[in-house]
Amino acid sequence: MASLSFGQSGPDLDGLEKFVRRGDRLQALFFVGRSKVIDHIKITCTSALELAREGVGPQGATQLLRGAPGAGKTAILSELAQRWEAEGGVSPVAVRLRPADLENPAKVAASIAEAVRPGSAAVLRTERTSSAGGAVGLGGTGVDGRTERTVYPEDADLDTLARAIPGREWTRPACHMVDEIQMVRPQANPTLLALHAADHGLPVVPVYAGLGDADDMLVAAGLTRPESEATHDIGALDAKEAAEAVDT
C-alpha cells in the first residue's frame, strides 16, 4: 500500500505529488476514525443475529451513511468489509450490491445466500434450456446445440431464502451494503421495504450510503424515517481523528 514518508533528506515529494493527483473515488491509502459509526453498525448486526436465533428479524434496522461526495462513506463500507473478513468467526459478512440490483429480489436473496453459506445460492436458481441462437445467459452450449443458462425464479425473494436457510441456522449476520443509494429507482421499493420490515426473520442489516437527501428518498420509498442513531452524518474528521491521521 502506498504511503507518504519523511526520510533524512526531507519529505517524499514524489509520493506527495501522487497523493495530490489521486481522485476522491479511489480507495483511501489508510483508514482512521469513524469508530462510533463502525461500532454501532457491528452492534446492530450482532443484535440481528441474536434476534434471528429467537425467530425474529431486525425490524427497522436500516442504517444510513449520509454526506457530501468525498466525505468518506464508501471508505467506511470498504473498511467494514475488510475488517469483518479478517476477523472471521461470527463477525458480519458484507454483501455489496448496486442500487439497480435492488430491483431484482431474487438476485438480492441469492447474493446474501452465497455470502453467508457459499454454494447455497443454488437453492434459488433453476436451469433453463433453449435452442441455439436464443437468448444467452449464464451457462454454455451443449453437444446438441441447445443453450443452458442460469436464471432466477421470478418469485424468489427474501422469504424464499428464509425457507431455504432459516434465520436460526445462520452463524453470521449479513450486512447488506448499497452505495450511492440516492440512485435507486422506484422499482426497488418492494425490496427496500422487505429488508427494512425484516418479516423474513433473517439477520440481515441494510446499510446504505448516499447524499444528504438520501433519507428523504428512503421515506418516499415507504420506509419509516430512520432513527437518529441509525442515520450517520459523515463529515470532516474531529480533532482527535485528524491527529490520528497525521500520526498514521
Side-chain angles (χ1 to χ4, degrees), residues 20 34 53 55 59 85 110 116 134 167 179-180 183 193 210 214 231 238:
V20 171
R34 314 300 189 190
R53 289 172 176 170
Q59 298 178 355
E85 182 178 5
V116 300
D179 202 358
E180 304 292 354
M183 297 177 62
L193 288 168
T231 301
D238 61 30

Side-chain angles (χ1 to χ4, degrees), residues 44-219:
T44 302
C45 292
T46 300
S47 176
L49 183 62
E50 295 172 351
L51 288 171
R53 289 172 176 170
E54 300 173 1
V56 181
Q59 298 178 355
T62 301
Q63 305 288 303
L64 175 63
L65 308 180
R66 181 177 62 181
K73 304 180 297 296
T74 302
I76 292 174
L77 297 181
S78 298
E79 180 67 13
L80 286 170
Q82 292 174 8
R83 286 192 187 188
W84 294 339
E85 182 178 5
E87 291 172 1
V90 297
S91 291
V93 57
V95 185
R96 301 192 69 168
L97 294 172
R98 301 171 303 170
D101 294 332
L102 295 173
E103 299 173 23
N104 186 340
K107 182 172 184 178
V108 173
S111 298
I112 294 173
E114 192 65 24
V116 300
R117 187 181 294 180
S120 65
V123 302
L124 301 177
R125 293 198 296 260
T126 58
E127 296 297 328
R128 179 179 299 170
T129 59
S130 60
S131 299
V136 179
L138 298 177
T141 303
V143 294
D144 59 355
R146 295 172 65 83
T147 299
E148 291 188 354
R149 61 191 181 98
T150 301
V151 297
Y152 297 113
E154 293 182 359
D155 59 348
D157 54 17
L158 292 168
D159 290 331
T160 309
L161 173 57
R163 290 191 293 270
I165 313 176
R168 293 184 178 89
E169 298 180 7
W170 290 40
T171 58
R172 302 177 68 178
C175 183
H176 166 71
M177 301 177 174
V178 181
D179 202 358
E180 304 292 354
I181 192 64
Q182 75 278 353
M183 297 177 62
V184 74
R185 303 193 303 175
Q187 292 89 326
N189 289 1
T191 302
L192 290 171
L193 288 168
L195 287 162
H196 189 64
D199 293 333
H200 44 69
L202 300 175
V204 179
V205 174
V207 177
Y208 305 132
L211 300 179
D213 61 348
D215 54 340
D216 293 330
M217 181 278 303
L218 293 176
V219 171

